[in-house]
Amino acid sequence: MEVPGWVWALTVTGVVGLLVFDYVFHVRKAHVPTLRESATWSALYVGIALLFGVGVLIFGGTTEGTEYFAGYLTEKALSVDNLFVFLVILHSFRVPREYQQKALLFGITFSLIARTALIFVGSALITTFAWVFYLFGLILLVTAGNMLKPRGGEPEEGENIAVRLARRVFHTTDDYEDGRLFTVRDGRRAMTPLVLVMVALAGTDVLFALDSIPAIFGLTQNVYVVFTAVAFSLLGLRQLYFLIDGLLDRLIYLAFGLAVILAFIGVRLILHALHENNLPFINNGEPVEVAELSTGLSLGVIVVVLVVTVLASVFSRTGRAQTAIANARRHATAYLDSEYTADPGERERIFQLLVDEKADIIALGPRYRQMARDADGLLELVERAKASHDAAVARGQAPTGPHH
């Protein structure tokens, strides 16, 4: 599919326009997005991506359209998995809820710029060196294996090395200064922790890109399709975070599903590399006659694996228990942290979620109540949050949490 320059220009303008719209109308004024707001905008961005895919099918043909949808689904699934790490970063930096949107949007913008650069670098490598398909295939197979390893726990408050190092090297503030990036303290220009959060999100996402770009090149080598699939998978990721952040721990089998998908694409890349082989130590530098996996088959595998993974996670009682336990820990910690939010309504919302999560754990039965008891320090944390809330109610005050 040959894409004229004016189509590229329109596409890039549209993507940039959507990002600018987010900056101007969504994150300029700090606020905590409601569930309805997050759901509406997430649905809108997914709808735009699907409509664009239909356009690719109509104007580009079945092959390009199938490649786009396969690439979009794979990149979107990888993006959701990335949200786990974003969640850890935001909580380890103790980012107030109302400022998380700004940090996420900057991270997404940086990610799009970095991935666009990697897309063109990857395309140039593939065009020049056929053996790059072997490299990409091996990267995906190694990544698939790493995804099967257990996830690490959340870092504890103050443990982040980047924060300690930056505070030694740069003049930084301890609080978020109403969401500003820089401020003036004692007559000196100072950096707020929000800058560090953005750097951490951006740097982490560069590492994610080293996996996701080979994955989509395993499905299509059309640069326009690669770019648009990646761009639309990232757009709306901020809204998706606030829509599903309470359910992320529920997707206990997502990593397994992604491991299967990446391993499948890795095998597909290696088979393609053998078919295009020119390495002298493989078959004397001649192409190897092997069966190649079609894009249609790839799309089918991706859809089936994702559906099975999500359904298995959603209906798993273990997943439900893990979600309630992990969220109870986060919400109790957030409630007890006087700097987490200045919004009394948001603090009350956090406490009510904590109450619901405790009820969920009890309703699941003795086995899962024991899981909660075994969770290090959880019960004490929940009781401290409850005592703080009860004390505030007894005083007849809005429950704003303890002050440090």
Side-chain angles (χ1 to χ4, degrees):
M1 181 176 70
E2 292 296 327
V3 180
W6 64 270
V7 173
W8 268 104
L10 280 178
T11 304
V12 172
T13 301
V15 170
V16 172
L18 288 171
L19 284 173
V20 171
F21 180 85
D22 256 1
Y23 275 105
V24 174
F25 292 100
H26 285 153
V27 305
R28 186 171 61 176
K29 182 180 179 182
H31 71 286
V32 179
T34 63
L35 184 64
R36 181 178 180 181
E37 177 186 343
S38 299
T40 299
W41 285 102
S42 293
L44 180 63
Y45 277 107
V46 170
I48 291 172
L50 295 179
L51 283 175
F52 183 86
V54 172
V56 175
L57 274 171
I58 294 171
F59 297 105
T62 304
T63 300
E64 283 75 13
T66 305
E67 290 175 349
Y68 168 82
F69 282 112
Y72 173 75
L73 283 175
T74 301
E75 292 296 313
K76 197 69 172 179
L78 287 169
S79 296
V80 170
D81 190 61
N82 296 351
L83 290 180
F84 284 98
V85 181
F86 289 171
L87 183 67
V88 170
I89 290 173
L90 291 172
H91 278 269
S92 68
F93 278 89
R94 299 169 61 234
V95 182
R97 180 81 167 176
E98 51 265 37
Y99 305 143
Q100 290 180 5
Q101 290 199 94
K102 183 183 289 187
L104 283 168
L105 188 55
F106 175 86
I108 290 166
T109 303
F110 183 88
S111 171
L112 183 56
I113 294 170
R115 293 187 190 207
T116 300
L118 287 175
I119 286 169
F120 286 101
V121 170
S123 176
L125 288 174
I126 287 171
T127 302
T128 308
F129 308 107
W131 56 263
V132 170
F133 286 109
Y134 287 114
L135 178 61
F136 282 3
L138 289 173
I139 288 173
L140 295 184
L141 290 175
V142 171
T143 303
N146 288 335
M147 280 193 162
L148 299 178
K149 297 178 181 178
R151 293 181 184 275
E154 291 191 32
E156 295 185 5
E157 178 183 326
E159 186 182 342
N160 196 287
I161 297 174
V163 176
R164 295 200 300 266
L165 181 62
R167 284 176 176 164
R168 288 178 182 175
V169 177
F170 302 102
H171 184 42
T172 62
T173 63
D174 292 326
D175 54 50
Y176 282 86
E177 300 287 337
D178 295 326
R180 293 192 293 269
L181 301 182
F182 297 92
T183 188
V184 176
R185 280 288 179 89
D186 302 325
R188 295 171 58 195
R189 188 172 176 81
M191 185 171 65
T192 73
L194 196 58
V195 176
L196 301 177
V197 177
M198 292 178 173
V199 171
L201 291 172
T204 303
D205 208 84
V206 169
L207 298 178
F208 292 147
L210 298 178
D211 299 330
S212 69
I213 297 304
I216 194 166
F217 271 118
L219 297 167
T220 177
Q221 285 83 58
N222 187 302
V223 178
Y224 182 77
V225 172
V226 171
F227 171 77
T228 52
V230 169
F232 284 117
S233 72
L234 291 174
L235 292 172
L237 192 60
R238 174 185 62 81
Q239 292 88 345
L240 187 63
Y241 172 86
F242 288 97
L243 180 63
I244 69 171
D245 71 335
L247 300 175
L248 282 173
D249 294 277
R250 185 72 171 269
L251 300 175
I252 59 173
Y253 300 121
L254 179 61
F256 295 100
L258 286 173
V260 171
I261 291 171
L262 292 182
F264 177 84
I265 298 174
V267 170
R268 187 176 190 266
L269 272 168
I270 290 174
L271 289 175
H272 182 73
L274 289 170
H275 193 266
E276 302 288 330
N277 178 66
N278 58 9
L279 293 179
F281 51 86
I282 298 178
N283 199 34
N284 295 319
E286 297 296 323
V288 181
E289 292 301 324
V290 292
E292 290 203 72
L293 304 175
S294 68
T295 305
L297 175 63
S298 301
L299 178 58
V301 169
I302 292 167
V303 170
V304 169
V305 170
L306 287 178
V307 169
V308 170
T309 297
V310 171
L311 290 179
S313 298
V314 168
F315 290 105
S316 164
R317 289 173 68 85
T318 301
R320 182 177 169 186
Q322 287 186 1
T323 301
I325 291 169
N327 287 339
R329 185 184 299 280
R330 290 193 192 106
H331 291 139
T333 302
Y335 185 83
L336 290 167
D337 184 357
S338 62
E339 297 177 4
Y340 178 68
T341 179
D343 183 355
E346 170 64 10
R347 193 173 293 281
E348 181 63 16
R349 183 189 74 86
I350 292 171
F351 183 78
Q352 291 305 318
L353 287 172
L354 184 59
V355 171
D356 293 341
E357 285 144 9
K358 184 177 179 181
D360 281 346
I361 295 170
I362 293 172
L364 284 169
R367 175 187 171 190
Y368 299 103
R369 288 200 295 271
Q370 189 59 46
M371 280 180 61
R373 293 189 189 99
D374 293 340
D376 186 35
L378 175 63
L379 295 183
E380 180 189 354
L381 199 62
V382 171
E383 288 305 315
R384 284 175 55 204
K386 183 178 184 303
S388 175
H389 183 270
D390 291 346
V393 172
R395 291 193 303 269
Q397 301 172 352
T400 55
H403 292 282
H404 298 226

